[in-house]
Amino acid sequence: MAQKSKLVNFALQGGGAHGAFTWGVLDRILEDGRLQIAGISGTSAGAMNAVALADGFTRDGPEGARAALDHFWRAMSDGAKHTPLKRMPIDVLMGNWGLENNPMYHAMDALSRAASPYQLNPMNINPLRDLVAESIDFEMVRRCTAFKLFISATNVETGKVKVFPRKEMTVDMVMASACLPNLYQAVEIDGVPYWDGGYMGNPSLFPFHGKTGTDDIVVIQVNPIERKGAPKTPQEIQNRMNEISFNASLLKELRGIDFVDRLVREGKLSTDDYRQVRVHIIENQAELKRLGASSKMNVEWAFLTKLRDIGRDTTTHWLDENFETIGERSTVDLHEMFQGIGAVHQGG
């Protein structure tokens, strides 16, 4: 007898080309059919995955969503075929997916620290925006009523997160969510400048609360939370700083969920006013952690499909282990995750 599907929310992190891992997760979820999407919150590459899925889902349900995700990532790869940002022959030979040995990568990185996008690109030319606009039908996205859709960006003026709803979704809102300020000029929407949503919501979880008909949230995590040892080189330091800052907002929300959950369980908060959120995380830090940060700019088809397949395999194992628990309790022990955080060091 077929198992009854379960309603869940999906929270999609940003991470450049590593968003192809999320593509694989979503592809397997849609193929499996046991999890029904209630809501999606996405940031940066997660936002692009989200709107591609919504576009395809409106056209032809789960299979349409799978086809749209495939089409989007193929377009990403095809659009970069003539870019100088490619692996060097030695990297191809050694199976290294990063761009650390590409002189152009280092030149662009150094230039981005010496001059702003307003100086380097005064005409604000953005091929990525053109690619997203051509690959995704935003009219279909706005018509998607199968689930709630939330895209996050950071308001440059206030430093607060801005969540754009599905009914108003445009390509500029998605580009705002993916606007790294050292690479792109701020995206203005209604006269307000926005930067990448990763600074304040990567991804945002609060839009789900009480809005989607379920208290289960599945976070598809791309950015490693933990990385042993202190980084030594300037690039390693910068990369780790980015990982920490782009995980900070998510960790704060998860810690808030854990705090409320414990107060409810202890009877200090009423279940009439507060809901216990069930949190699940699909991640493969063992695979993603060993990929250098420069590989987030590698959109070779072989790399994207490798990440997709890792995402699919990871999700297959995750479903086998956790499907029965969804809807009953969290599959992540948040209290254990946050043990020791914020503890006062007792000096001798």
Side-chain angles (χ1 to χ4, degrees), residues 72-251:
F72 171 74
W73 285 100
R74 283 181 186 272
M76 284 285 286
S77 182
D78 289 344
K81 280 184 177 178
H82 302 295
T83 177
L85 289 176
K86 292 182 178 179
R87 290 185 296 162
M88 303 303 288
I90 185 64
D91 294 315
V92 177
L93 186 65
M94 299 297 293
N96 172 30
W97 295 104
L99 306 179
E100 295 91 349
N101 294 316
N102 184 313
M104 182 61 71
Y105 171 76
H106 290 286
M108 290 180 64
D109 182 60
L111 195 58
S112 71
R113 299 175 196 279
S116 83
Y118 296 87
Q119 297 166 312
L120 296 174
N121 185 12
M123 299 299 291
N124 200 19
I125 298 169
N126 189 344
L128 179 59
R129 184 191 186 282
D130 297 336
L131 187 149
V132 173
E134 292 170 4
S135 304
I136 297 168
D137 186 338
F138 280 86
E139 179 58 33
M140 286 292 179
V141 175
R142 290 188 289 270
R143 285 169 51 187
C144 181
T145 57
F147 47 81
K148 302 287 186 181
L149 177 64
F150 310 100
I151 301 301
S152 297
T154 301
N155 184 317
V156 177
E157 296 175 333
T158 66
K160 297 178 181 179
V161 66
K162 169 68 176 181
V163 179
F164 298 109
R166 182 263 310 167
K167 289 182 180 180
E168 305 169 8
M169 197 59 57
T170 65
V171 63
D172 284 333
M173 291 174 182
V174 174
M175 297 315 298
S177 182
C179 180
L180 292 170
N182 61 325
L183 297 180
Y184 305 109
Q185 294 185 22
V187 178
E188 287 201 9
I189 299 172
D190 296 329
V192 179
Y194 293 97
W195 281 342
D196 195 293
Y199 296 109
M200 295 307 296
N202 192 22
S204 297
L205 307 184
F206 69 87
F208 293 137
H209 301 327
K211 299 281 183 65
T212 63
T214 179
D215 294 316
D216 282 85
I217 298 177
V218 179
V219 179
I220 302 178
Q221 188 161 354
V222 174
N223 299 302
I225 290 178
E226 191 173 332
R227 194 181 286 274
K228 297 295 184 183
K232 303 293 175 64
T233 68
Q235 210 163 27
E236 288 174 346
I237 292 170
Q238 186 64 42
N239 293 342
R240 187 55 183 151
M241 285 171 59
N242 288 338
E243 284 180 344
I244 291 171
S245 62
F246 274 28
N247 276 323
S249 58
L250 174 63
L251 290 175

Side-chain angles (χ1 to χ4, degrees), residues 249-263:
S249 58
L250 174 63
L251 290 175
K252 285 179 181 179
E253 285 204 78
L254 290 176
R255 191 169 189 179
I257 288 171
D258 175 54
F259 181 66
V260 171
D261 182 68
R262 283 187 286 120
L263 291 179

Side-chain angles (χ1 to χ4, degrees), residues 342-348:
V344 177
H345 175 69
Q346 301 296 322

